[in-house]
Amino acid sequence: MNREKFMQSDVALYGMLISIALVASYIESIIPIPYPVYGMKIGLANIIIVWVLYSIDIKAAAIISLARVLIAGFLFGNFYSIIFSLVGAGLSLGIMFLLKKTKKFSIVGVSIAGGVTHNLGQIIVAAIVLENIRITYVFPILIVSGVVAGIAIGILGGILYRKIKILQTNVRS
């Protein structure tokens, strides 16, 4: 396959994955689930990010995550939701990449760490924006939610990873 055609297939694949992640973000934004902390979400779009991290690579996961955060923020959020999501997603993806690289953690374990660090990133931003360190008192609740969401996202991402193997041989590393 020549380089130009391969690049076109990358663009199409990334566009499809970003679209799926956006649909997951939209679904999550319209389902009214009462959470104990304002802004708390399960993070359905992270199923795609975990799957991409394992099926393709960190670069693809970062591109898809960044595009999803920006587009979802402009469509369903605001400036602050974009900042909170960017920091949370960046910290989460970085930790997930490092833990995956050690090969000592399962997909679920990596996803749990991603869920907790995503919440940590958002708490750090909240403390800076609000200029109030007391916001960190909600972090124990966010740790629990990060673990629960991380388990769910990790299980679903793992199922996708085991079931959809085509990319492992067809996409460049």
Side-chain angles (χ1 to χ4, degrees):
M1 181 180 296
N2 69 36
R3 181 83 177 139
E4 182 180 315
K5 189 171 183 179
F6 192 73
M7 293 299 287
Q8 290 170 352
S9 68
D10 282 354
V11 170
L13 175 64
Y14 286 22
M16 180 187 69
L17 293 170
I18 292 165
S19 298
I20 294 168
L22 279 170
V23 168
S25 292
Y26 177 69
I27 289 169
E28 193 166 43
S29 76
I30 62 172
I31 298 173
I33 300 173
Y35 294 107
V37 177
Y38 175 76
M40 186 184 294
K41 295 180 181 172
I42 296 169
L44 294 176
N46 292 320
I47 296 168
I48 301 301
I49 303 306
V50 168
W51 180 75
V52 169
L53 180 63
Y54 276 84
S55 295
I56 305 176
D57 61 14
I58 182 66
K59 180 181 172 188
I63 290 168
I64 291 163
S65 183
L66 176 64
R68 197 251 344 142
V69 165
L70 291 174
I71 295 168
F74 287 121
L75 291 174
F76 321 124
N78 57 44
F79 173 75
Y80 287 108
S81 67
I82 293 171
I83 298 300
F84 277 74
S85 293
L86 280 175
V87 173
L91 185 59
S92 173
L93 189 57
I95 292 298
M96 289 193 302
F97 171 70
L98 292 173
L99 293 180
K100 175 188 176 275
K101 199 171 180 177
T102 69
K103 299 182 192 272
K104 294 182 181 183
F105 297 89
S106 67
I107 291 177
V108 173
V110 168
S111 179
I112 290 169
V116 172
T117 55
H118 189 280
N119 291 339
L120 174 62
Q122 292 190 329
I123 283 291
I124 291 168
V125 171
I128 292 168
V129 168
L130 298 174
E131 297 177 356
N132 188 341
I133 196 73
R134 287 185 283 179
I135 191 74
T136 58
Y137 291 137
V138 300
F139 190 55
I141 295 169
L142 294 177
I143 289 172
V144 172
S145 74
V147 169
V148 171
I151 291 169
I153 299 304
I155 289 170
L156 294 171
I159 290 169
L160 278 178
Y161 178 68
R162 287 187 298 280
K163 298 289 182 185
I164 304 174
K165 296 282 190 175
I166 190 168
L167 291 178
Q168 294 167 357
T169 56
N170 293 339
V171 177
R172 70 185 139 98
S173 298

